[in-house]
Amino acid sequence: MGFQDIENVLKEEQWTRSTVTTYTLGSFEALDGYLAAMDEEEKTETKALCDAHLEEREKNSIVAMYVSGSIQLERRGADDYLQLLTLIEMFKEAKKHNIVEMLCKKILSRSENKHALRLLASSYEAVGKNAEKYELWERLVKVDYEEVEIVRLLAIHAQEEKNVELAASYYKKAIHRLIKRRDTSAVRQIFSALLFLDVEQFGYFMGVVEQVAIESKSTAVALLRELESAFKDDVDTLIEIQKQMLMLDGEDSVARDNLVRSYKIKYKDHSRLKSCLESSHLTSSFNRDIIYSIEDFETNIAFDKGTFVFQNSTNRIGRIRSIDENDVIVDFAGQSTKQGSRLSTSMAFKSLQALDRGHIWVLKSVLPRERLTDKVMEDIPWTLMTVMRSFEGKINLKELKTELVPSILAARQWTSWLAKAKKELMTNPLFDLSVNETDTYLLRNTPVSYEEKQLSIFRSEKDIYDKIKCLKEFISSKGDVESDFFFEMVRYFSAMFFEDNGSYKPIVDVTDATFSAYLLLKDLVVRQNMNFLSWPENLSFATLYERAEQPEEIFAAIKDSELKKSFIDHVVAEVPSWSKILPALFPSYLTSYIPDIFRHYKKQADLAKIYKDAVENFKEKSATLLYLLRSGDPKIWAKSGVSGEQLLFSELQLLDYANRLIENRKDVTENRKISKTLMSLLFDEKAIFKYIEEGKEEQAQKVYSLVANVFALPGGRKIEVKHAISERFPTFRFFDEPTSLEKDGWIPTGLFCSQAALDAKKREMEHIQHVELPEVAREIGNAREMGDLRENSEYKYGKEKQTLLTNTLRRLAEEIDRATVVTRDKVDPSRIGFGTKAVLFDNKKGKEVVYTIMGPWESNPDENIINISAPFGRSLVNRQEGERFAFTLNDIDYDFTVSKITVVDF
C-alpha cells in the first residue's frame, strides 16, 4: 500500500506543479507514515522509483528527494545526506525555517553531520534563536576540525558571558587550527585577544611564536612585539622575548637596542657590565652576528665574584674569589693552597664554565652526599627540575643516570627511583616530551596541558599499538575528549577509512592495523557514546573479515587484548560460521573467553574438537595444549575422545621435541617454558607414575620406550620411572639395559636407520623443497591473478597443498635430525636388535615365524619387517637364541622361543 501511496503523491506533485512554498510539516509527516508501513523490499522498490523520477522526470522533486533520502539515511549509505541536505538548502532559501529544523534534526538523529549543524545554526540565527545557535556551534566545532571563524565567535561569546577559561580554550583551539593549516596571517588577531585575556601563559605564547615562525618569521616577530608590550615590567621575560626577535631577524635594530636596555636594567649592580657590553660589541656598530654577541655577553656577564665555575680540563668545581679586567682568582674544591688559582681573564673565559648556584654539579660539590641522596630520593620533581635546569632545560634518561649514579644514588637505588621519575615525567605538566629526540624530556617555563602533552607522546610513538595505548590512557585519565588534541589522535585511525574531504577511502589491503583501527573507532562511538567522532559505520565487520586474506594471522598480530576480545565478539555477532572460526583464533587468545562462548551457546562438541586438535597437532599447537592441560575442563577432555594414555604420550613426545629445539637454539626461551611446564606436569605432579601404577605391564613398556627416548631428559628422572616400573612389575625387562654392543663402544640411540633409508629421505626432502613447493607457489600465483580469492577453488586447493607439503618438509627435517645410521658391522648377531632377522617359534600356535628388525623408515608389518621403536619391536629386542619369553600387547598374549638370529643385508 505504501508504494502505491508514494507513486500517487509523485504524480500529484507533478500535476499540481507543487513548489517549496506549498509544503508544510504535515506534508512530510504523511510521507513518513507511508514509509513506516513498508517492509524492506517495498522500500527498495520505492527508492528505485524516486531515483528514477529524479533522473528522468523532475530533478527538483521534493517528494522524491525526501523519500529517497529518508530511506538512504535509514540504511546509512555512502551518500546518506546528500538529497536531504539539498532539500534543506531549498527550504532555507525559501525561509521555511520550521521545515529546515525538522530536516536537520532528522539527519542529526543519525549522526553529527557538520553540514546539517551549520544549516540549522544559520536558520536559528535567522529567527533570533541565539542560545540554540551557540549550542549548535559548540557541536559543530567538535566535528568540523577545519572551522576557525565559528571557534573565534564562540570565544567572543564566552568572553561576553564572563567565562574567561572557556573563552581562552576556544581562542587556543582557533590558533591551533590556523597553525595546523598553515594560515599564520590570521593568527595575530586571535593571539592578541588571548594575550589580553590570559597574559600569564607566557610559555604557551612563546610556543605559538615558535610554530608560526616555521611559516612566517615576520608574523612571528609581530607576535613577539605584542608579547614585549604585555611583559614590559618583567625584565627577564623581556630579555627572552627580545633575544627571540633577534634570532628571527638579526638586523632588527629596535630589538637590539631594547635588549641592551633590558640587560642594563638586569645587571645594573654588576661590576663588569660596561666592559661585557663593549667586548661583546652589542653596543657598537661593529659588523658581527648578533647571536654571537649575545652569547659572548651572557658568558662574560656570568663571571663575577662568588660565581661557581667548572674547569673542563681538570673536572673541578670552584668559586671565583675575585675578578678584574686582567685576572680571575678561583678557589677550587680540595685545593691545598690558600692563595687560590690565578688565571688571566681571557683564559678563564675559555677554560671555565660559569654555573648557577643550583646547578647539580655545584650541589654535588658543596652538599654532603647523604643529605643530597635523601633529597633526591624524597623529592623527585625537584631533582628532575634541578638536573634539567643544569643542562639548558632538557635531558635524556641516559644522561640523567650519569648525573645521579653513582655520585648520588647507588646502582641498586636507580631502578626503583627511575620508575617513579618516569611517572612524574609523564604526569607533571612542567615536563614535556621532546618530539625530535628519543627519551628526552624538556622543562617548560609554564605548565603544558595534559592534552597537549599526551598528543606529543602520541606523535612520538611509532607502533600503532603504542598509539592505541596512548589514546586509551588519555581517555582513562579524563583527558578532554572534545579537544583538538584528542581529535588529532583519533584522526590517525579514521584516516585509514576516510579521505580528507570526508569521503570513504577504498581499502586495498586489510591488515591487523585496519581491524584495530575499525574496532577502536567503533568502541569510541558506539560503546563510549562519542557520537561526534567519525567512524566507518557503513563498513561492517563481516565485510572487512571477508576481505581479509589470512584472518587468523591478522588476529594473531593484534597486540591489544581488548581489541582481540572485541574482534572475537564481532566474529560471533556477524559471521555465521563463527563456531568454525573461533578454534583457529584460540591459539592466539589463550584465555577462558572463547571456551566460555562455546559453553554459552551449548556447543561443547565443537569445543571438544579444539582439545582433540591440540593433542593431534601438539608440535604446532604446543601453547594451546599446555593451556588446556593446565586450565582445561575435565568434562570437555572426556568428550574430546582423547584417552589419558594418548594425552600422556603426546606430552612426552612434545617434551622430546621442545628439548631438541632448545639444543638447536630455536625459540629457546619459549621452548624452555614448554619443557619446564611439561616436566612439572609429568614428573612433579606424578602424571607418569599414576599411569604406571594404574596400568598393565604392556602400558609400562610403552611409556618407558617414550621416556627413554626423550632428548636431554635428566638422568634422575629416568631412574625414577625405572624404579616405579620395577616396583610395580618386578620381572620387567628394560630394553636399554647394557648389552654386548657396549663391548664395541657403541650404543644405538635416536631414530635407527640404514644409510640407504637416510639417503632416500634426504632425496624426498630435497624434491619437496626444490621441486614441489616452487611448483605449488606458481600455481597459487596464477590462481591469485584470477580474482576473488574467496570463490577461487584453485587458490584454496593450492594453499592447502602448500600447507601439507610444508608440514611434511618440517616432519622430514625433524626425523633426519634425529636419525642414527647403523652399519652392518655394528650389528650383534647374538641378540635380536636393529639389522637382525629372528626366527621365532610361536609356542601358542605351534609354528615358526620370521621377523626382520629395522627402523621406522624401513618397517613394513605386512612383510614382517618390524620397527624397533614400536612396542612389538621393543618386546623382541635383546632376546637370545634358545630364550623363551612371553608378553601381552593390545590384549593379545604372545609366547615365543628364539630359534635363530642372523644379520640381514642392508
Side-chain angles (χ1 to χ4, degrees), residues 387-440:
V387 177
M388 287 187 187
R389 287 191 183 111
S390 301
F391 299 99
E392 299 181 346
K394 69 175 184 177
I395 198 163
N396 62 44
L397 297 180
K398 184 177 179 181
E399 293 167 340
L400 182 63
K401 183 176 182 180
T402 300
E403 287 306 321
L404 300 182
V405 180
S407 57
I408 299 176
L409 298 178
R412 67 179 183 277
Q413 297 172 302
W414 167 252
T415 302
S416 60
W417 187 91
L418 178 62
K420 296 175 184 176
K422 282 184 175 180
K423 184 176 181 180
E424 187 69 27
L425 287 166
M426 288 293 101
T427 57
N428 192 319
L430 287 174
F431 301 126
D432 202 358
L433 187 69
S434 173
V435 176
N436 302 318
E437 300 173 75
T438 304
D439 281 338
T440 298

Side-chain angles (χ1 to χ4, degrees), residues 648-649 652-653 655-656 682-683 688-689 691-692 700-715 717-722 725 735-736 874:
L648 181 71
F649 289 0
L652 284 165
Q653 289 172 291
L655 177 61
D656 173 69
L682 291 165
F683 295 97
I688 287 180
F689 306 108
Y691 177 79
I692 294 169
Q701 188 76 259
K702 291 179 183 178
V703 77
Y704 185 71
S705 68
L706 289 170
V707 169
N709 281 292
V710 172
F711 184 80
L713 182 70
R717 294 300 194 179
K718 188 174 176 182
I719 292 171
E720 288 179 37
V721 175
K722 273 191 169 185
I725 293 174
F735 70 87
D736 58 350
R874 296 289 191 193

Side-chain angles (χ1 to χ4, degrees), residues 585-600:
L585 305 183
F586 184 55
S588 301
Y589 196 71
L590 291 173
T591 71
S592 63
Y593 194 65
I594 288 177
D596 286 345
I597 290 173
F598 280 104
R599 291 190 188 92
H600 175 77

Side-chain angles (χ1 to χ4, degrees), residues 795-862:
Y795 175 80
K796 291 180 180 178
Y797 171 74
K799 293 296 287 185
E800 291 170 2
K801 187 176 178 182
Q802 186 182 54
T803 300
L804 179 63
L805 287 172
T806 302
N807 291 338
T808 303
L809 186 66
R810 184 169 58 248
R811 175 179 56 76
L812 282 172
E814 292 167 0
E815 290 180 354
I816 289 171
D817 185 55
R818 294 172 51 210
T820 299
V821 174
V822 181
T823 57
R824 196 171 187 278
D825 61 306
K826 292 292 186 180
V827 178
D828 180 2
S830 67
R831 294 174 181 269
I832 297 176
F834 183 92
T836 64
K837 180 182 288 186
V839 181
L840 307 179
F841 184 79
D842 189 331
N843 296 308
K844 295 182 76 65
K845 295 181 180 179
K847 63 178 182 179
E848 284 190 340
V849 62
V850 179
Y851 292 108
T852 300
I853 311 302
M854 298 297 287
W857 289 342
E858 299 93 345
S859 67
N860 186 345
D862 293 338

Side-chain angles (χ1 to χ4, degrees), residues 212-227:
V212 168
I214 297 172
E215 297 297 326
S216 171
K217 290 184 178 180
S218 60
T219 303
V221 170
L223 298 182
L224 287 169
R225 295 218 186 281
E226 301 252 2
L227 285 177

Side-chain angles (χ1 to χ4, degrees), residues 81 283 603 645 804 845 858 869:
Y81 317 118
T283 55
K603 289 182 175 287
E645 180 179 89
L804 179 63
K845 295 181 180 179
E858 299 93 345
S869 301

